[in-house]
Amino acid sequence: MNPFSYTRLLFLLSLLSLSSEARAAERWQRYENCQLVANEANDGDSFHVRADGHEYIFRLYFVDTPETSNDFPARVATQAKYFHLTVPQTLQVGLEAERYTRQQLSRPFTVITRKQDARGQSRLTRLFAIVGTGNVGLAEKL
């Protein structure tokens, strides 16, 4: 079993909450029945989500999928080098990751977040999150 599996991560989070229930409630927030919001900026590891009546942009912990366009050529070149791919191949993998994420999030899902800033190059607020689909985390699936 993968040491970073969604189930193990949830177990560790629940152990942490046992030591300080009030402090854990302030730090981690859990949203059930979330919905993916269609947006041209969505990709494999960062996407718009409707949760608890609000729209958020979440970025997955532990995952970095390739970009889906060459809007940031230096970033794409770095990713291509890392993955030992050409730039067009890297962009294709990014598009496949985006499609896979969209398919995985087509049904209601769970988000767990500490609302930590994951903005990167975006001007909009983007938050790190763990996203669960069924009993497996999206990061693990990707």
Side-chain angles (χ1 to χ4, degrees):
M1 176 181 259
N2 183 335
F4 293 107
S5 74
Y6 180 68
T7 304
R8 286 185 183 186
L9 189 56
L10 288 177
F11 176 72
L12 290 173
L13 290 175
S14 64
L15 283 179
L16 290 173
S17 69
L18 292 175
S19 64
S20 176
E21 196 70 39
R23 195 172 83 227
E26 291 175 14
R27 295 175 65 185
W28 291 98
Q29 293 185 359
R30 181 183 182 103
Y31 298 104
E32 300 285 347
N33 297 311
C34 299
Q35 296 178 323
L36 182 67
V37 176
N39 188 289
E40 65 183 24
N42 290 353
D43 61 19
D45 60 16
S46 183
F47 34 83
H48 291 243
V49 171
R50 176 143 324 271
D52 198 30
H54 297 90
E55 185 172 328
Y56 299 97
I57 305 171
F58 290 118
R59 186 189 189 307
L60 293 174
Y61 280 112
F62 313 120
V63 175
D64 184 17
T65 62
E67 300 299 319
T68 56
S69 73
N70 210 11
D71 290 345
F72 304 102
R75 175 83 175 119
V76 174
T78 299
Q79 289 177 327
K81 183 177 179 182
Y82 177 81
F83 290 114
H84 304 287
L85 300 171
T86 65
V87 166
Q89 289 171 327
T90 302
L91 293 171
Q92 182 60 39
V93 171
L95 289 170
E96 290 173 19
E98 184 274 328
R99 279 192 291 270
Y100 182 79
T101 295
R102 186 172 5 102
Q103 183 269 327
Q104 289 296 306
L105 302 183
S106 64
R107 294 173 299 285
F109 53 92
T110 301
V111 171
I112 301 171
T113 182
R114 289 185 63 190
K115 293 193 172 179
Q116 291 179 316
D117 183 29
R119 190 166 308 138
Q121 297 179 2
S122 174
R123 296 180 321 271
L124 302 173
T125 300
R126 183 171 60 165
L127 307 169
F128 280 114
I130 299 164
V131 175
T133 59
N135 62 353
V136 179
L138 180 58
E140 183 176 1
K141 289 180 177 185
L142 283 167

